[in-house]
Amino acid sequence: MKITEKIDVRFPRTLAEALRLQAGEQTRGKLLAGGTDLMVQWAAGVPAPERATSVWNLPELSAIEMAPDAIEIGAGVTHAFLRDCVQIRRHLPALVAAAATVGAAQIQSRGTLGGNAANASPAGDTAPALLVTGGSVVLASLSGRREVPLDRFWIDYRKIDARPDEIIVAFRLPPKGRAKERFRKIGTRRAQAISKVMAASRILVEKGRIVSAAIALGSVAPTPVRLAQVEAFLVGKKLSPKLIDEAEQLAQATVAPIADIRSSAEYRRWASGRLVRDALEHL
Amino acid sequence: MTKRTSKPVRLIGKGMPRVDADGKVRGTTRYLNDIDYKGIWHGVVVRSPVPRGILRAIVPGPAFAGDNLVLATAKDIPGENVVHMHDRTMPLLAEIGGEIRYRGEPVAVVAAATPEQAAAAARDVRIEVDELPPLLTLDEAVAIFKSAPGKLDTMKEQTIVKGDLAQGFTAADDVVEAEYWAGHQEQLYLENQGLVVFPQKDGSILSEGSIQCPYFPVHELNDPLKLPPEKIRVRQTPIGGAFGGKEDYPTMLTGYAALPALKSGKPVKITYERNEDILFTPKRHPVWVRFKTGFKKDGTLTAIECDYILDGGAYLTISDVVMYRGILHCALAYRCDNVVIRGKVARTNSFPCGAFRGFGAPQAIWGIESHMDAIAARLGKTPHEYRLQVHARPGDVTPTGQTLSDENGSTACLKLALKRSDFARKLRQASRGKLRKGQKKFVGVGLSFFAHGSAFTGDGEAKFKAKGRVELARLEDGKPGINIRVSSTEMGQGVHTIFTQIAADALSLDAARIRFPMADTGLVPNSGPTVASRTTMVVGNVVYRAALDLKNQIESFAALRFFKGAPAELRGSRLLSKGARPVSFETAAKAMLAEIGSASGFFEFLLPADIRWDQATFKGDSYPGYSWSANVAEIEIDPLTCELEVKRVTAIVDIGRVINPVTATGQVEGGLTQALGYAVMEKIGTGKNGLYDAARLQTYIIPTALDVPEYDVKFVEYPYSFAPPGAKGLGELPMDGLAPAIANAIEAAIGRRLRQIPLTPEAIFAALHPAQGGTP
Amino acid sequence: MSTIRRTWKINGKTVAVRFPAGRRLLDVLREDLGLIGSKESCGEGECGACTVIVNDEPVVSCILPAGQLADGTEILTVEGIEKKRVGRLIQQAFIEVGAVQCGFCIPGMVVSSYALLCKNPKPSTKAIREGLAGNLCRCTGYTKIIAAVKLAASRIPAAKRT
């Protein structure tokens, strides 16, 4: 008998039913989407909860709505769906590219956008791409809905701004418009890799001048992070090799990564700047 | 199937499909965990929580109050508390009052009717240890060696001496000296370790499971279990990969399971999950190797001095032999009259290292093949021209004094690899740290060249005398056929298929009538372990000769029974005699089985009488034969991130006669991929807590289908004529030389030499941007 | 602890199962239904040896809570693959090309290959590598496995590609 069998998993069929089940919960970590993170953590010895609620396949979490100001993607949408969806790719190319690097085909079939965000790993592949949209997370509970801007959602290592009784139901993500997006992940290998460092960016250049810039990194801090200083430095400036050099160095000065089994602190610091360079060189 | 012809089909040299493939593609092959054993108990090993200390007490908790549960400690060992291995020092279980020498050292074994009960009980054992300071890593050992060599705790030392080293350095115009490091590597067979021990009514045991060398437990556990070899029977279940990882360790695992099995009278199964398998089974040895080489202006090597220290872990187990193979491969492939190689097995408080494909040679070759490029660079020669100049070839004398026969295809491997890869041109185009116009990535190409000794070291095979039988029997379909009875195990490498080919050709019999049952020490003679690149060459020869012996017997019987004494020949599955109607093998064999019962051919392997080996001085013929290879790696490095991509690998291989080109190519491609992982990504070490720091597949990273380069594998055949059909060893060779080829390619790409594997982006970054403070 | 009941279509047959709420699909398949072709190696979704197809998508059954599969879910395991024409082509190609060594990863490889060829009957080499990237093999170096998938794809008749 595997450890997960000690968990009493409930399988609600609707969001309302799931919200009722969650209503009394005092602690987090009991919502089970595709299981590609939680089942692994429990197998690896992270203490398993007594109860868990499955949110897999809830119809209310599976929708995608395209509006001019924001694309609303249900939290239960899988990476495989994102990977293959041409319309979303047009508006959110970095997110689609990120989804295609999550694990491999089998994990993409099951892993969800909501699950990846809730897992709150600094190495969560979709987080930087979500961050650069400037969008928000939609949370639901019996007491109603609220939206949390993504750049305030990941508050610390594996901590999110959501109460135990709340369920992530969707992401509201403004499309890139005329800006350019880029995603790049440096992994331990070419597939099935957890990142050493990764970056997503959304930058708008008009007439050679940077109008807006959003750059986010993963695996360099306790949470996925926006490089606000670098963004502020870039906006309004003319794109030039010198500017790129300076942005690279500023990014390196800004981050304070740690060393772990996957990489060294020095490499991560250096590569953070390099990925900023990569984004700027591809405009 | 085709029209009858007197010309029998020859299978040797053909890519006959594997005999075991059908069940494997359909998922019907039953590996250990697919077998539904009824009524067995499940064992869990209780381990030391610290890397070093004195074991004071083992205190079972309340979980042990119930029934259907047994706890075995050192007190339950029927005989002497020792696993024989190579020096009889390692206890089967740690003793109270004895020294714990590594984290995870087995202290007790719990067995219970369900795995959950056993696991819960194992967690309920308190281990009291007075901790002592450990020495955990090779880095620490080498630091001791460098500051005070006498203080290094070595479990075994061996030196190879050829000529006069001092004179060699005196004669040298220049000297290059450098150190090279290699870390642990996990075998990562996909099927985890496991076996079941069945206690028998007569006090003997049967161990069944994923066991690479069934005769090892038979001969290594006699003292602790107080059982003679004939009372320890071991048989193989289908093995889901081993690579050496199931060579030495299943002996210990059999011992662990045997204790509660003997105590409870119940069969006990121990099977590991991945995490336990990575944490608590042996790895490839970390090695530090230092080369100091003297050479003349024209490149002639006048002196090679080498220190080779491997981290054996807490007990010697088999590390002496790994070290021997290592030092024998340190300077094997080049001409040099004055050589000193000093090997040492250092003791640390880490998990004892063990066998892994290559067995000390990959670390040696990692060093020397990196170093040869460094010498070439100092001389201003290209690495390939320099190797063409100084590589060993027939007539040359090895560091142990062995003269290479003309059955060594060293030159052919080197030349063909250079030609097929267009090496010289690609080397001229290498980036050397400067991007050309329009280039986005640094490109480089690197070469390595090496040999791997086939079979046991020295006079091992002469002493061992591998035995094998090929028997006539009634098969499962009721019709007569042949059983191959040798102890070689199928673990993916294809031995069941190629021995079928060999026996079929020797007997001139349809391969469909030949079976190769799983090795079972109760049924097969000891043809030795399936290790050391010896199986096809040595045991293949035994099968061939034993099959010829049986063929003679069948022909003699048929001559009398069917042809009035006229000579008969078994040819193309029929018995032929001049002027008579042929008799089918089936008819003849049926008659033979009915009239004289079973018949079998037998052979015992012998080495040529003139082989000489002195184990004390390491002088003489260190291996019966040598396989050769040259690898060329073509790589790209992204200057943006220092990410490395290996684009293409050329591997030219001389393994003598190629029995099955399809399985042989598969072995090379698979070995190269393990070597690729070793070279660029697989990283695991002993952490401060004494545990391996990458304990899961999320942290221990091996290549995926997206990581492998394009392979160009070609064979050149220089057969070993003494042992028909003439094969030399293949299994380990592909693991040996890719890491240095890639390091040499990196040097060509960025102009920096890396001296430690794995060759990660972090290491490339540190080499290219030292000012940024990179530590690999 | 609650017990879950589900009725699935496994390898074309309707099967009713009962299991504890937290049970993994792999355990239901191997232990409750005796479908031992799917293997457990890593237990954390990294190696792909336990790959099965659920409603046309490849998944790793070792980290899949079985209760999440609703009634009517279609599951295809290696045992059902050989009843499919393309499945048999894949198995034959694996044998012919020499893509099998120890065999432990092979059922998962065959299942992933089938999932890939159902979606993309003429995959490029890159697509094959991507399709198999979730299945680790330690014996073959993947080269012959990739060749086998190519060979199988070349034999799929243009008209009938599933």
Side-chain angles (χ1 to χ4, degrees), chain A residues 106-131:
Chain A
Q106 293 96 318
I107 298 297
Q108 290 162 15
S109 302
R110 294 278 309 168
T112 64
L113 195 56
N116 200 226
N119 187 47
S121 161
D125 287 313
T126 55
L130 288 174
L131 273 175

Side-chain angles (χ1 to χ4, degrees), chain C residues 133-144:
Chain C
N135 293 74
L136 297 178
C137 170
R138 192 58 156 169
C139 294
T140 66
Y142 305 101
T143 306
K144 294 197 185 308

